[in-house]
Amino acid sequence: MDYYERFRVTPGSKVDLDKFDPSHKKLHNERQEAEQETIHLRERIRDLQYQMYAERKRSLLVVLQGRDAAGKDGTVRHVFRAMNPQGCRVVSFKVPSKEEAEHDFLWRCHKVTPGLGHITVFNRSHYEDVLVQRVHNIVPKEVWSKRYEQINNFEKMLHENGTHILKFYLHIDQEEQLERFKKRLDKPAKNWKISESDYSERPFWDEYTKAFEEALRRCSTEYAPWFIIPSNRKWFRNLVVARILVAAFESFQMQFPEPTVDLKEIRRLYHDEVKKENDE
Amino acid sequence: MDYYERFRVTPGSKVDLDKFDPSHKKLHNERQEAEQETIHLRERIRDLQYQMYAERKRSLLVVLQGRDAAGKDGTVRHVFRAMNPQGCRVVSFKVPSKEEAEHDFLWRCHKVTPGLGHITVFNRSHYEDVLVQRVHNIVPKEVWSKRYEQINNFEKMLHENGTHILKFYLHIDQEEQLERFKKRLDKPAKNWKISESDYSERPFWDEYTKAFEEALRRCSTEYAPWFIIPSNRKWFRNLVVARILVAAFESFQMQFPEPTVDLKEIRRLYHDEVKKENDE
């Protein structure tokens, strides 16, 4: 099943989130089966990441967006934990610091884009600047409305310079969000995660929907696609993200690089060294 | 078995690396048993890291040093992969860039020390500046000889501001290193890792020994201890590092933080919301 194409937002297409079932689970009625596949995919991701790291030819930038409790942290924990941290960094974007706010909105993101062979996962991202900033009028419309094109140009430049981009919108509905907030209340070890925004943002649900729809519509491009991931079921969300990741990696058709040194010469050196030690 | 104390370099003690058996494996004659324990320790590390991340009260800085092929990358892959990348970053220090070289040697390290709740693993570190720089006279003795105290002061300052520091010297012998280099030659998927320094540095073995010994002697402190890890056997190395890590985490006596919001008030809000939805 080609989940890459299935869940990709076709560039230029209109997005109506109501038409996307957040509880969608495709052919996977069996949770256990899906979890098994995700475990296998994680091993595949591990191998492919190693090859990308060795190759040092391209970078991968992953963007995770979604409402509060949509599962951004969970996706990191279940899918991206597969990666060797040596080549994979997760950056969480919070409310901008004073210094960050004194720069254009892409400045703090650009500083942490991945280098060759590396992966960066943005947990929230520059898209916050057309989401929360738009919904709460933190900047006027004439400012945020120009940002879609600015984002596209930025992502295009990254792509043209060797950074592959994948953007995941984790799609849950209002009932599922409330359920998750309640679970945080019931588990003492989860209490610390509860923040005021959990409930103060809920009245803005529809405004966020509009803002997400516009970002998905205007910024899903050939060079930096958005994927809408049905996320009410965490195990299905993990499976879909893992499959898309593997599909992207495989499209790179990677190869281990040629050694930078003369292997024959080194074999001779080692041979001589062992001989010398034996002679002594 | 208290591996933390067993492998720690007692502050102020003389270090003679010849007296440390790199093939040491303590009571673990059974490789399989040790690997099983490491798997369990990884799960424990996962839980403890989550607690540290939630608590946001302290940071952890891990330094990995050792000769070429000593297993720095392998330790990251086998032990630190346990961590959620959201709170754990691995930084590999290479030959300094032009900008880095134009600053003091601690500058590039300080920029990437961990924030509260976070872990940074240094794969190589500021210790390179009293190792390779000393062995190859890249800076004169009057420069590098002052660095031990500078390092101690830097690490003390980090410690006093909430950063716990653990430093691992991965100890292998000359025969093991040659074996590992040869394996890189034999495995096509490892060929890319071979660099000129693999063999060009071998004649400097004894000079490096002296430099390591001085760093271990002068910079193992109460606030930032060095550990000498027997590393000829990879499975034993992983076990020892994992045990020390768990011991350090446990010494923090962490607790989940109190919620920052009024839980009663939120329960009421959610209750009202559900009621309203049902009434509609």
Side-chain angles (χ1 to χ4, degrees), chain A residues 73 86 89 123 202 273, chain B residues 73 86 89 123 202 273:
Chain A
D73 292 353
Q86 183 131 314
R89 183 176 171 195
N123 187 338
R202 279 180 63 80
E273 188 177 338
Chain B
D73 292 353
Q86 183 131 313
R89 183 179 170 193
N123 187 340
R202 277 180 64 79
E273 189 177 336

Side-chain angles (χ1 to χ4, degrees), chain A residues 110-143:
Chain A
H110 205 165
K111 286 206 291 186
V112 288
T113 50
L116 292 179
H118 286 253
I119 296 160
T120 302
V121 180
F122 281 4
N123 187 338
R124 302 187 188 270
S125 67
H126 44 298
Y127 282 94
E128 290 296 317
D129 298 275
V130 289
L131 292 166
V132 63
Q133 295 227 352
R134 165 181 170 159
V135 169
H136 291 293
N137 299 306
I138 296 169
V139 294
K141 182 171 180 178
E142 64 184 68
V143 172

Side-chain angles (χ1 to χ4, degrees), chain B residues 196-231:
Chain B
E196 204 163 327
S197 68
D198 282 3
Y199 49 96
S200 64
E201 290 292 283
R202 277 180 64 79
F204 297 95
W205 185 274
D206 293 338
E207 281 82 351
Y208 271 107
T209 302
K210 244 185 266 170
F212 274 120
E213 284 173 346
E214 187 158 354
L216 293 166
R217 175 172 68 81
R218 296 184 63 178
C219 300
S220 190
T221 55
E222 292 295 344
Y223 47 86
W226 269 111
F227 299 88
I228 298 174
I229 311 295
S231 300

Side-chain angles (χ1 to χ4, degrees), chain B residues 28-54:
Chain B
H28 292 272
N29 285 303
E30 296 293 341
R31 173 177 173 159
Q32 215 187 343
E33 183 195 274
E35 286 176 340
Q36 269 309 312
E37 190 187 330
T38 302
I39 289 170
H40 290 304
L41 288 169
R42 271 207 297 257
E43 278 169 33
R44 183 89 185 110
I45 288 168
R46 199 166 290 194
D47 292 342
L48 289 162
Q49 186 210 357
Y50 182 72
Q51 223 167 346
M52 186 176 140
Y53 183 80

Side-chain angles (χ1 to χ4, degrees), chain B residues 70-104:
Chain B
K72 299 180 288 297
D73 292 353
T75 304
V76 169
R77 206 160 51 239
H78 290 283
V79 182
F80 293 94
R81 178 174 259 159
M83 306 233 179
N84 185 334
Q86 183 131 313
C88 177
R89 183 179 170 193
V90 181
V91 181
S92 301
F93 291 97
K94 314 276 180 192
V95 176
S97 71
K98 195 166 174 298
E99 191 192 17
E100 287 170 351
E102 285 169 356
H103 291 79
D104 69 84

